[in-house]
Amino acid sequence: MQAWALLSAVLWYLTGVGCQRSSLLNKKGFVFGKIGHPVKIYVKLHQNSPVLICMDLNRANTETVDPTYLWIGPKEKTLTDNSRISITETGKLMVRDFLEPLSGLYSCTLSYKTVKAEIQEETTIKRRYEFMIFAYREPDYSYQMAVRFTTKSCVGRYNDLLFRVLRKILDNLISDLLCHVVEPSYKCHFVKIPEHSLLQNELFIAFRVDPFAPGWESVCNDSVDCEDITNRNILKARDRIEEFFRSQAYTFYHRLNNTVPAMHFVDHSFQVVRMDSCRPGFGKDEGLHSNCASCCVVCSPGTFSPDVDVSCQICASTQVYGAKSCPE
């Protein structure tokens, strides 16, 4: 029996008884330096960074004589070409399979010459460009939902029965996605309906739909970006639940007779709000990371995030990116 039909049957029974990023990234995926200002870049976890250019845009469009490039990474480490770091002869740098500890300040010093050919005079000029690179990951989505149902009375066991049946139906509806309903609750209120003189009893039901039902790890299939998969599943779960309540409204308005059940879904009462959370070691900070405001960005040194919160907390003793605890 379809879920909407099952709930309709329950309601009629009860009646009878009584829901990569940088502002300087160009179309080729290159990021140019900017004299005097570090360029912020956000690289998704386990993805390659954009190509960093050891020049500003003006210099790149100008003839450069005898250029040399020196790249320095986090912790003042001189960078060389290896399996993770790619540096070309023309000063382009890319980091492969970006991880939390690779976050930090990357700087490049460009040295070149100006030549006065008529007197064979050469002058060496140096320019330093800085790039602040942060690992980020997508937030984990969950959805806070609310619906309302009419009821004959705010007392009695049938409200509890409806609540339990509704939760079971919704869990079954999304179980194949390894999503489930958590933190369900309801309260009964007296509601004055506009243009009616009578009060109506209504159950205000709230619950959260979460993508981490027992065994959820099996959907990852060894993917390093499992939040992409779980977020796709929770979006499907949201759509199914929304369609379920839409069908409740349709069934009510297209009933075969004019008898109105005492307990029925209140049309247009379905509400849904997305709730984001970040994995440990990551958090959101719209002020610090305005170019990646919706991202979960790696916690910087001096901060940490121990659980699925949405912000990094202050911890003076942490000296690494992505700290999940605060050492004493």
Side-chain angles (χ1 to χ4, degrees):
M1 181 182 293
Q2 293 185 0
W4 66 266
L6 176 59
L7 183 59
S8 295
V10 171
L11 293 175
W12 282 104
Y13 165 75
L14 293 177
T15 299
V17 182
C19 154
Q20 309 174 341
R21 312 181 182 205
S22 169
S23 58
L24 298 181
L25 184 67
N26 72 5
K27 292 181 180 180
K28 295 182 179 180
F30 295 166
V31 178
F32 290 89
K34 191 174 182 181
I35 294 177
H37 299 281
V39 178
K40 285 186 178 181
I41 300 168
Y42 300 89
V43 182
K44 191 172 183 180
L45 208 61
H46 299 292
Q47 300 295 312
N48 296 338
S49 75
V51 177
L52 310 186
I53 308 296
C54 188
M55 286 185 179
D56 57 84
L57 189 56
N58 289 336
R59 171 50 49 188
N61 291 324
T62 305
E63 180 181 76
T64 304
V65 179
D66 292 340
T68 60
Y69 313 91
L70 176 63
W71 279 98
I72 304 295
K75 300 181 180 179
E76 296 297 317
K77 182 180 179 181
T78 300
L79 300 179
T80 56
D81 194 69
N82 56 46
S83 60
R84 187 177 293 276
I85 302 292
S86 172
I87 301 177
T88 70
E89 293 182 354
T90 55
K92 299 181 178 68
L93 178 141
M94 183 182 71
V95 186
R96 302 184 183 91
D97 188 22
F98 204 83
L99 300 173
E100 298 98 312
L102 297 173
S103 300
L105 178 65
Y106 289 72
S107 67
C108 180
T109 300
L110 166 66
S111 300
Y112 63 96
K113 294 177 180 178
T114 60
V115 180
K116 293 182 179 180
E118 67 276 11
I119 59 173
Q120 292 294 303
E121 181 178 290
E122 300 178 358
T123 302
T124 298
I125 297 177
K126 293 187 178 183
R127 294 283 185 267
R128 177 183 167 92
Y129 302 96
E130 295 183 341
F131 304 84
M132 281 297 304
I133 309 183
F134 301 93
Y136 82 91
R137 64 192 311 161
E138 295 296 330
D140 290 310
Y141 303 159
S142 63
Y143 286 93
Q144 187 68 36
M145 299 184 179
V147 294
R148 289 158 64 174
F149 279 79
T150 62
T151 181
K152 292 178 64 175
S153 171
C154 281
V155 296
R157 65 187 182 90
Y158 301 112
N159 295 336
D160 284 332
L161 180 57
L162 168 65
F163 180 68
R164 292 197 302 271
V165 169
L166 178 63
R167 178 179 180 178
K168 185 173 182 179
I169 289 172
L170 296 179
D171 269 334
N172 289 339
L173 193 64
I174 59 178
S175 62
D176 64 305
L177 301 171
L178 290 177
C179 299
H180 63 160
V181 172
V182 296
E183 301 174 2
S185 64
Y186 78 90
K187 290 184 178 180
C188 190
H189 297 281
F190 304 108
V191 179
K192 170 66 172 63
I193 307 301
E195 301 179 0
H196 290 75
S197 59
L198 298 177
L199 290 174
Q200 179 171 283
N201 299 317
E202 292 188 7
L203 301 179
F204 287 60
I205 300 174
F207 55 93
R208 184 165 57 87
V209 180
D210 179 278
F212 302 115
W216 68 270
E217 296 92 344
S218 64
V219 305
C220 298
N221 297 322
D222 298 322
S223 170
V224 294
D225 291 324
C226 194
E227 66 265 28
D228 292 347
I229 299 173
T230 56
N231 284 346
R232 280 198 300 270
N233 285 347
I234 196 69
L235 287 171
K236 292 178 183 178
R238 178 203 64 184
D239 292 344
R240 288 185 190 179
I241 292 174
E242 187 172 3
E243 177 59 29
F244 167 75
F245 286 112
R246 189 181 295 117
S247 71
Q248 293 300 306
Y250 180 88
T251 301
F252 176 71
Y253 281 107
H254 294 80
R255 58 192 181 277
L256 297 178
N257 55 55
N258 293 325
T259 304
V260 178
M263 302 185 78
H264 64 79
F265 173 68
V266 177
D267 193 17
H268 304 301
S269 69
F270 177 72
Q271 300 177 29
V272 57
V273 177
R274 196 182 90 184
M275 311 292 290
D276 290 356
S277 61
C278 296
R279 301 286 175 94
F282 291 80
K284 287 187 175 185
D285 190 330
E286 186 173 353
L288 182 61
H289 303 297
S290 58
N291 288 342
C292 208
S294 63
C295 311
C296 290
V297 181
V298 65
C299 294
S300 297
T303 66
F304 78 111
S305 178
D307 49 30
V308 286
D309 203 349
V310 290
S311 60
C312 299
Q313 305 173 30
I314 299 297
C315 177
S317 60
T318 58
Q319 302 299 323
V320 297
Y321 282 90
K324 300 177 178 65
S325 62
C326 183
E328 295 182 359

